[in-house]
Amino acid sequence: MRTFWGLMRAYWFSDRWKEAWTLTLVIALLTALSSKSGVWFAEASGELVNSIAFFHDAANTTPLKTLLTNAGILILIVVLKDAGFTGIRSLVSATLHRKWRGWLDGRFNEALLDTNHTHFHAQHGSSDSLAPDNIDQRVQESIKDMTGGAIGLAMGVLAVATSLYFVGQKLLETSVEVRGLEFLGSYGSAVLAFLAVAIYVPLNTWIAVKLGRLLERLNVRMQQSEGSYRGELTTFLRRSFHVAASQGENVQKTMHNRLYADIDRNWARLNIVNTGYNSFELIYNFIGARIVAYGPGLVPFIHNGFDLKGYITGSEMVNALIGQCSWFIHVMPAIATLRANSQRVTELANAIENVQQPQEFYRQTGRSDFSYAGQNPVFGLTIQKLELAHQGEDATPFLSAANLRFRRGEWTFLKGESGCGKTSLIKAINGLWPYGRGTIVFPEGVKNFYAAQEVKLQQVSLKQLVCLPGSERDHSDAQVASALHKAGLGDFIEHLADESRDGKNWDQVLSGGQKQKLVVARIVLQQPGLLFLDEATGALDPEGKVAFHQAIKDNCPDVTVISVMHEAVPPRSLTGADFYHSVVAISDGIATKKPLAPSLPRELTTILAQPRPPEDKWLRFSRRLKQK
């Protein structure tokens, strides 16, 4: 699906090909019947006009009956054509649109949410020219509009083909000789009609194509600006607390105004071109329906080659032929939108394909030479000659680690100034850092677990949240309830199956501390052998941090822990025992590992881990130390 035509035909050659082809054939049949009914309409129109023209003719013994009969037949044909063939075709085509869009949406979601973390790699660590913007808009709106436009385009082409066959056949049957064109024989009037259509329609189609290309470019720009504005609004609403706390409303307002101004500029240009196109189309329709359609038959009518009925019937058929052949002109704005949507969808498909090999993808914009291997779990986790850098072939590494080894059951605390690369190191170990080099050797057969501060997933049940990254089918309610109880969230056990509480999803219900206790519940339930804690206790008070670590210590006895925290001193248990055995200190871009220093007195450790108290408390604490 990396090209326009590949994207168009993928559904029809998928595992759901029977569904796709059945709906397509039904649409083709109804389109052919609709085109045939256009011939019937032209003939009925001729009969009705003829009955009106000869209403007072002496030979017409039943003028009113004939007029009403012809009018009734015309109405029946219109009902059959528009409410029958065309109406049912609209329903079937809408069903095909729904099925095709659903299939494409499923394919893109599977591709983005694969075990390769494609959704992450497609957005991070690469240049803007390689990363697609507004992926949400492409998956939701662009796929929907593209599939609908493509179906309409296909039906229009089919309608042109069937109309050429049915209407052309009827024109040939009713054709007469034209004075001055005797060498054409009885096909003279038909040739004049075809010639008028062949000159008028292609010339104006060429004009429509030129305008359509301009519309396509403007549509792409419009979608980009709309997507950027919507994306910023979504991000703003998620961080509204931070905007309010920093009183950043004026800055946010300026950003919104700037993004909307881009929408407004593109919209103004699009409106000007659309207005010009609409004027062109209205003039084209009038000339086609009133001059070009009635012109070819006028010559034989003047020379008595046609009676009025034949002239009206032939002209209506030429008008129908012009209308069908002009379909390309009528839908050119829609085609421009289709091409814009398909371009954005194929760009996303290409981006997904490009990041299937993440390191090859990142090497286009920097150095990416990470190697991942496995070893006997007895030897734990090993990191060798690791260097982390940012984008760019000549980027200087901001973090280096010559040789780090984490034995089974060891707890290691990452220490360093803010921004030194602690979280980047954990990301690199887990394959989520794009640029750099080094070798990471994992213990084989050991489950890894990466725990951040919280999981921002909405519209899922509490049980689903606890069971992450697995499925809720992997664990019984009793197991999940036990994990919640051990994590200190026993009050929520009765709500396991609920996706929300009091009308709010769990992301809004749980406090920051409760969300981090939810992380404990997940760890206890999953029983990982290798655990990465990325500031997972940031919202907990000192007692909560101790309880967090104690729950892991009690329920995951052999787990290897690598933790990033902002504390100067790692927490200790209530008995004064150390949770952590070693520290990786990052200083001046170098990561070195060593055992933790001898434990400080428990009271001092507790004080250092807390915000500094008022001065008088420090004086009282100093006196107690002197007395000891």
Side-chain angles (χ1 to χ4, degrees), residues 2 40 64 107 249 253 358 376 416 452 469 506 510 545 556 614:
R2 302 182 68 182
W40 301 338
L64 184 59
R107 298 293 79 72
E249 283 83 0
K253 191 188 304 180
N376 192 300
W506 289 105
L510 299 175
K545 292 174 184 177
C556 307

Side-chain angles (χ1 to χ4, degrees), residues 125-127 130 361-367 390-393 435:
S126 182
S127 64
L130 296 176
F361 174 68
Y362 290 125
R363 282 171 187 156
Q364 299 177 61
T365 52
R367 184 172 185 178
H390 294 294
Q391 183 176 305
E393 292 290 343
Y435 302 107

Side-chain angles (χ1 to χ4, degrees), residues 382-387 399-405 425 437-439 584 589-593:
T382 302
I383 299 172
Q384 299 172 339
K385 298 179 180 178
L386 183 70
E387 292 182 349
L399 176 62
S400 299
N403 189 11
L404 301 176
R405 184 182 297 275
L425 176 59
R437 65 176 180 176
T439 301
V584 171
I590 306 296
T592 55
K593 182 173 179 285

Side-chain angles (χ1 to χ4, degrees), residues 449-475:
F449 193 102
Y450 189 146
Q453 290 188 21
E454 59 182 278
V455 178
K456 290 185 176 294
L457 288 177
Q458 300 181 359
Q459 299 181 9
V460 295
S461 68
L462 180 59
K463 183 178 179 181
Q464 286 176 306
L465 285 174
V466 180
C467 291
L468 286 171
S471 167
E472 61 180 335
R473 295 185 296 272
D474 299 336
H475 305 278

Side-chain angles (χ1 to χ4, degrees), residues 169-483:
Q169 184 184 51
K170 194 65 180 180
L171 283 173
L172 289 173
E173 288 177 4
T174 58
S175 182
V176 297
E177 185 177 284
V178 177
R179 183 176 298 182
L181 298 176
E182 290 83 2
F183 64 93
L184 295 175
S186 61
Y187 294 112
S189 63
V191 169
L192 280 179
F194 290 137
L195 188 62
V197 175
I199 293 174
Y200 184 67
V201 175
L203 176 63
N204 287 276
T205 300
W206 179 81
I207 298 173
V209 168
K210 294 295 184 182
L211 293 172
R213 287 175 180 170
L214 181 57
L215 284 171
E216 178 187 344
R217 291 194 294 270
L218 290 173
N219 266 297
V220 170
R221 294 175 190 169
M222 189 68 178
Q223 288 190 32
Q224 290 172 338
S225 55
E226 289 276 11
S228 297
Y229 185 49
R230 187 182 67 182
E232 178 55 37
L233 283 174
T234 302
T235 304
F236 155 65
L237 292 173
R238 289 175 179 171
R239 66 177 186 224
S240 60
F241 167 77
H242 303 285
V243 173
S246 62
Q247 298 185 10
E249 283 83 0
N250 286 334
V251 175
Q252 190 70 43
K253 191 188 304 180
T254 301
M255 190 183 306
H256 289 178
N257 290 340
R258 175 172 54 80
L259 290 172
Y260 190 82
D262 190 41
I263 293 177
D264 191 63
R265 282 192 299 271
N266 287 314
W267 199 356
R269 295 167 187 163
L270 193 60
N271 286 342
I272 292 171
V273 178
N274 273 325
T275 301
Y277 195 93
N278 290 337
S279 300
F280 157 75
E281 189 176 0
L282 289 171
I283 295 171
Y284 170 84
N285 290 339
F286 174 79
I287 294 175
R290 294 292 175 262
I291 298 176
V292 179
Y294 282 80
L298 186 61
V299 176
F301 175 72
I302 291 174
H303 294 95
N304 294 319
F306 282 140
D307 57 12
L308 180 62
K309 173 186 172 182
Y311 175 53
I312 296 298
T313 301
S315 298
E316 284 296 323
M317 285 192 290
V318 174
N319 187 27
L321 188 61
I322 291 174
Q324 293 291 359
C325 292
S326 301
W327 171 87
F328 194 73
I329 295 174
H330 299 322
V331 299
M332 181 55 69
I335 292 174
T337 303
L338 166 65
R339 288 178 60 86
N341 283 310
S342 64
Q343 177 182 328
R344 291 179 66 73
V345 176
T346 51
E347 283 175 358
L348 177 58
N350 278 303
I352 290 173
E353 185 65 26
N354 290 338
V355 300
Q356 294 311 299
Q357 299 295 328
Q359 291 199 44
E360 294 296 328
F361 174 68
Y362 290 125
R363 282 171 187 156
Q364 299 177 61
T365 52
R367 184 172 185 178
S368 184
D369 294 311
F370 295 105
S371 173
Y372 297 90
Q375 63 184 3
N376 192 300
V378 173
F379 299 108
L381 172 69
T382 302
I383 299 172
Q384 299 172 339
K385 298 179 180 178
L386 183 70
E387 292 182 349
L388 303 185
H390 294 294
Q391 183 176 305
E393 292 290 343
D394 301 325
T396 302
F398 64 84
L399 176 62
S400 299
N403 189 11
L404 301 176
R405 184 182 297 275
F406 305 88
R407 68 182 186 274
R408 183 168 59 181
E410 180 181 10
W411 286 45
T412 304
F413 174 61
L414 270 63
K415 181 179 180 181
E417 294 181 358
S418 179
C420 68
K422 299 186 295 294
T423 295
S424 301
L425 176 59
I426 290 185
K427 287 181 178 179
I429 296 172
N430 286 273
L432 297 175
W433 187 262
Y435 302 107
R437 65 176 180 176
T439 301
I440 298 96
V441 185
F442 285 93
E444 293 178 340
V446 173
K447 183 187 293 185
N448 296 350
F449 193 102
Y450 189 146
Q453 290 188 21
E454 59 182 278
V455 178
K456 290 185 176 294
L457 288 177
Q458 300 181 359
Q459 299 181 9
V460 295
S461 68
L462 180 59
K463 183 178 179 181
Q464 286 176 306
L465 285 174
V466 180
C467 291
L468 286 171
S471 167
E472 61 180 335
R473 295 185 296 272
D474 299 336
H475 305 278
S476 67
D477 287 353
Q479 290 174 317
V480 177
S482 175

Side-chain angles (χ1 to χ4, degrees), residues 13-34:
F13 292 91
S14 69
D15 56 342
R16 287 165 59 178
W17 65 272
K18 291 182 180 179
E19 170 188 270
W21 283 107
T22 299
L23 292 170
T24 302
L25 291 174
V26 172
I27 291 172
L29 175 62
L30 291 171
T31 300
L33 290 173
S34 180

Side-chain angles (χ1 to χ4, degrees), residues 63-86:
L64 184 59
K65 179 181 178 181
T66 302
L67 176 63
L68 293 177
T69 300
N70 289 332
I73 292 173
L74 184 63
I75 292 172
L76 286 175
I77 291 174
V78 170
V79 171
L80 179 65
K81 179 179 182 294
D82 294 338
F85 302 144
T86 304

